[in-house]
């Protein structure tokens, strides 16, 4: 496997850590790190079924006025797909499966320096604060 062949070379030099991280991420999104697991677990639900459930849940939340109706994003054309995915996987636009919104802009001056809650920005943790602004599981995408 490519990763095992390159691992020793990439792991012995600290400057190669970024390359190693990029290689692992690339192999992961292409499904190359889970080939054996998928062969052993053939009864796993295909991504298309999960996407359908997500769309149904969104529609339900829109009806209950808990979610704003979204503009449908176009499908990804074949020429935009950079590689072949494993069986059962599909390409989707990120905005079609998650809700993306801007958070609160908390400047360093307004942070509580004695707080224990990390504040994230475009380059990772930028400080700490005493109050959280999210109370449910969330993926944070730092912005610059």
């Amino acid at each position: 496997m490519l990763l095992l062949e390159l691992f020793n070379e990439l792991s012995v030099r600290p400057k190669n850590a970024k390359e190693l991280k990029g290689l692992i991420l690339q192999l992961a999104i292409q499904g190359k790190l889970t080939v054996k697991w998928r062969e052993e677990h053939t009864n796993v639900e295909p991504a298309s079924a999960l996407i359908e459930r997500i769309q149904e849940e969104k529609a339900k939340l829109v009806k209950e006025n808990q979610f704003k109706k979204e503009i449908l994003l176009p499908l990804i054309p074949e020429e935009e797909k950079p590689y072949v995915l494993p069986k059962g996987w599909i390409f989707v636009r990120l905005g079609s499966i998650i809700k993306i919104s801007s958070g609160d802009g908390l400047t360093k001056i307004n942070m509580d320096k004695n707080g224990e809650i990390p504040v994230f920005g475009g380059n990772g943790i930028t400080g700490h604060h005493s109050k959280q602004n999210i109370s449910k599981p969330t993926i944070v995408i730092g912005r610059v």
Side-chain angles (χ1 to χ4, degrees):
M1 172 183 221
L2 179 62
L3 180 60
L4 292 176
E5 292 170 14
L6 296 175
F7 186 79
N8 284 339
E9 177 63 27
L10 290 172
S11 63
V12 294
R13 296 191 179 107
K15 70 177 187 155
N16 291 342
K18 190 174 184 178
E19 282 182 58
L20 179 60
K21 199 165 132 180
L23 174 62
I24 292 169
L25 179 60
Q26 187 63 40
L27 293 171
I29 64 173
Q30 290 179 344
K32 294 184 177 178
L33 299 181
T34 58
V35 173
K36 185 176 180 187
W37 184 91
R38 282 183 278 111
E39 288 170 356
E40 294 169 356
H41 298 84
T42 56
N43 60 341
V44 174
E45 173 185 57
S48 57
L50 174 61
I51 299 300
E52 190 175 310
R53 280 202 329 274
I54 290 171
Q55 298 307 327
E56 288 170 0
E57 179 67 18
K58 280 184 172 183
K60 178 183 162 216
L61 293 172
V62 167
K63 282 183 182 176
E64 296 171 353
N65 289 324
Q66 293 183 27
F67 202 78
K68 194 167 75 174
K69 188 169 183 169
E70 301 171 318
I71 298 169
L72 290 178
L73 298 171
L75 297 176
I76 300 173
E78 287 301 316
E79 61 270 11
E80 285 186 29
K81 297 176 182 177
Y83 42 82
V84 175
L85 291 174
K87 183 181 175 191
W89 290 29
I90 58 173
F91 282 100
V92 295
R93 299 198 185 276
L94 188 58
S96 69
I97 58 172
I98 66 169
K99 179 181 177 186
I100 300 174
S101 63
S102 292
D104 298 332
L106 182 63
T107 63
K108 202 132 184 114
I109 292 171
N110 294 326
M111 289 181 204
D112 178 357
K113 290 154 185 50
N114 296 318
E116 295 183 12
I117 299 166
V119 176
F120 292 86
N123 292 317
I125 296 174
T126 59
H128 290 80
H129 196 57
S130 55
K131 282 177 50 180
Q132 65 186 36
N133 62 357
I134 293 290
S135 59
K136 57 186 174 186
T138 303
I139 296 174
V140 175
I141 303 171
R143 62 186 171 109
V144 178

